[in-house]
Amino acid sequence: MRRAAIVFVHGLFSSSATWHDLQEQLSGCPGAVQEFDLLFFGYATRRTSMNPLRKMPNLDTIAESLRGYLDDLPPSYERLVFVTHSQGGLVVQRFLWRMLIEGRGRDLARIRRIVMFACPNNGSELFLLLRRSLMAVLRNKQERELRPLQASVQDAQRRVMTGIVNAGYMSSDRCPIPFMLYAGESDNVVSPTSAVSVFPEATVLPGDHFSVIKPGPDGRLVRALLGNLDKALREPVPKELVLSAPAFAQWEAQGKDFLMEHLRFGPVDVVTGSSTTQFFLHGGPLEQLSGIDIVVSSENTYLQMSQFFKPTVSASLRRAAAIKGAGGEILEDVVGDSLIAWLRAHARYGLPVREGTVAPTPSGALALRGVRRIYHAAVVTPVDGTSEYIVNPYAITRATHSVFEVARRERREHDLPLGSMCFPLFGSGRGGSAVARSFDLIWGALMTELCDDSSWSIHFAVRKRHNFDLIKQRLLTKKEDDGAE
């Protein structure tokens, strides 16, 4: 058995037989290809089936089947190369996406190259109207994902671009793997623009959608594939990020404490004045929040948001609200640009605002998740000449009151249907304020506001498990205290 293997993955309405001509041509080639076993992954893909006991698998199911197929391969295969045609490229991307979100980035290390032919990365528009009407009757789940701008395809592609194509090291959520994409110069099923998409390494070969993977007399297809196989054998396997022992211990502890998926607790009903207010607690990534009218972000007194790559609430909201391209690149920094416009309009760009000031901005892409507005609260004050911040307790209470003031004004002046708001634990990040202290200060201001206006539901958002457990207990204690009274 050889130490390397090529895994061929076919496309829609096809089978492993589509690789027959290429397989024969490769079998007679000397050089790098002789180092590889040729393997073929197949899956069910039919135009329709009248058998009521069978259904067409979607890309997620096929990706899961591919994972099982790879898990069963002998460990003696030290290097794998995927060669895909058409929809097969989407199958592989969906597999990679699922592996990354499950924290199995390290398990991808032996995949040393992915070669995709005529992959519909941006969808296929050929006979789109006819396909929509026909496949709606046939209920073909695979065809639906080949339509332009499919959210599931774009989500997988964004994760692959950041966690695979542009990854600099290997960890649980990333693994560098080279991609090479080929488009057919006369392909009218998947245009070269769609096949290339946002991937950095791509070119065009002679042929249409189907003949692009058939060896021709010019030998270009075979030469291109042999070049990729040679690189897959020679390129080094990815390395893990190496940290010093203290840095690694801190990184590992923080990583384990961060909630990777959204958790929700509530409602917790608490008496506020003559009425009752519902409180909720959310844990995990802020971009997974949904159905909350106002999400509040903790900022510094210059109202300068964190950079996209920072592990802060401000950066998370900025990323989540930005309009992105298919590869995850920022096309429009909606919240960042809107906040700068607010500062210029108030003649404060480059100058600090008063502690507790709140600036409202649109929610950008988060509007798709039901978030109407993002409020930026100036809570932490930079210390001149240092990288440190301080938090005045007054800033936390003032910011909480200001959130209500701005919300009531926007309700009145812009007729916005605002009824829920979500608070972070002001100042508990770079500001260094204790989580419990921040919660108590926000709570005191909330009780004053809600006693006068109980038309709101209140949400708290945290990103770490121990903070989630702490605030959950605090909310339950507040409810018990009200019941005792």
Side-chain angles (χ1 to χ4, degrees), residues 163 170 241 271 296 366 449:
M170 182 175 63
L241 179 65
V271 175
V296 184
L366 282 172
E449 294 289 343

Short mmCIF file of all heavy atoms in Angstrom, two decimals, residues 163 170 241 271 296 366 449:
data_model
loop_
_atom_site.label_atom_id
_atom_site.label_comp_id
_atom_site.label_asym_id
_atom_site.label_seq_id
_atom_site.Cartn_x
_atom_site.Cartn_y
_atom_site.Cartn_z
N GLY A 163 -10.32 29.55 7.89
CA GLY A 163 -9.77 28.46 8.67
C GLY A 163 -8.91 27.48 7.90
O GLY A 163 -8.22 26.65 8.51
N MET A 170 -1.82 25.37 12.53
CA MET A 170 -2.83 24.34 12.79
C MET A 170 -3.27 24.41 14.25
O MET A 170 -2.46 24.59 15.15
CB MET A 170 -2.26 22.97 12.47
CG MET A 170 -3.25 21.82 12.66
SD MET A 170 -2.55 20.23 12.11
CE MET A 170 -1.16 20.06 13.24
N LEU A 241 0.63 26.13 16.46
CA LEU A 241 1.15 27.33 17.10
C LEU A 241 1.80 26.92 18.42
O LEU A 241 1.16 26.31 19.28
CB LEU A 241 0.01 28.32 17.36
CG LEU A 241 0.39 29.62 18.06
CD1 LEU A 241 1.32 30.44 17.17
CD2 LEU A 241 -0.85 30.42 18.41
N VAL A 271 -40.04 41.47 39.80
CA VAL A 271 -40.95 42.60 40.04
C VAL A 271 -40.18 43.91 39.92
O VAL A 271 -39.13 44.08 40.54
CB VAL A 271 -41.61 42.50 41.43
CG1 VAL A 271 -42.46 43.73 41.72
CG2 VAL A 271 -42.46 41.23 41.52
N VAL A 296 -26.20 46.39 23.10
CA VAL A 296 -25.32 47.44 23.60
C VAL A 296 -23.88 46.95 23.58
O VAL A 296 -23.58 45.81 23.97
CB VAL A 296 -25.72 47.86 25.02
CG1 VAL A 296 -24.85 49.03 25.49
CG2 VAL A 296 -27.20 48.23 25.08
N LEU A 366 -26.55 42.26 11.10
CA LEU A 366 -27.31 41.68 12.23
C LEU A 366 -28.81 41.93 12.10
O LEU A 366 -29.60 41.32 12.81
CB LEU A 366 -26.79 42.24 13.55
CG LEU A 366 -25.48 41.64 14.05
CD1 LEU A 366 -24.97 42.40 15.26
CD2 LEU A 366 -25.65 40.17 14.38
N GLU A 449 -34.89 52.65 36.10
CA GLU A 449 -35.54 52.87 34.80
C GLU A 449 -36.81 52.03 34.65
O GLU A 449 -37.84 52.51 34.17
CB GLU A 449 -34.56 52.52 33.67
CG GLU A 449 -33.37 53.44 33.56
CD GLU A 449 -33.74 54.83 33.05
OE1 GLU A 449 -34.85 54.99 32.49
OE2 GLU A 449 -32.93 55.75 33.20
#
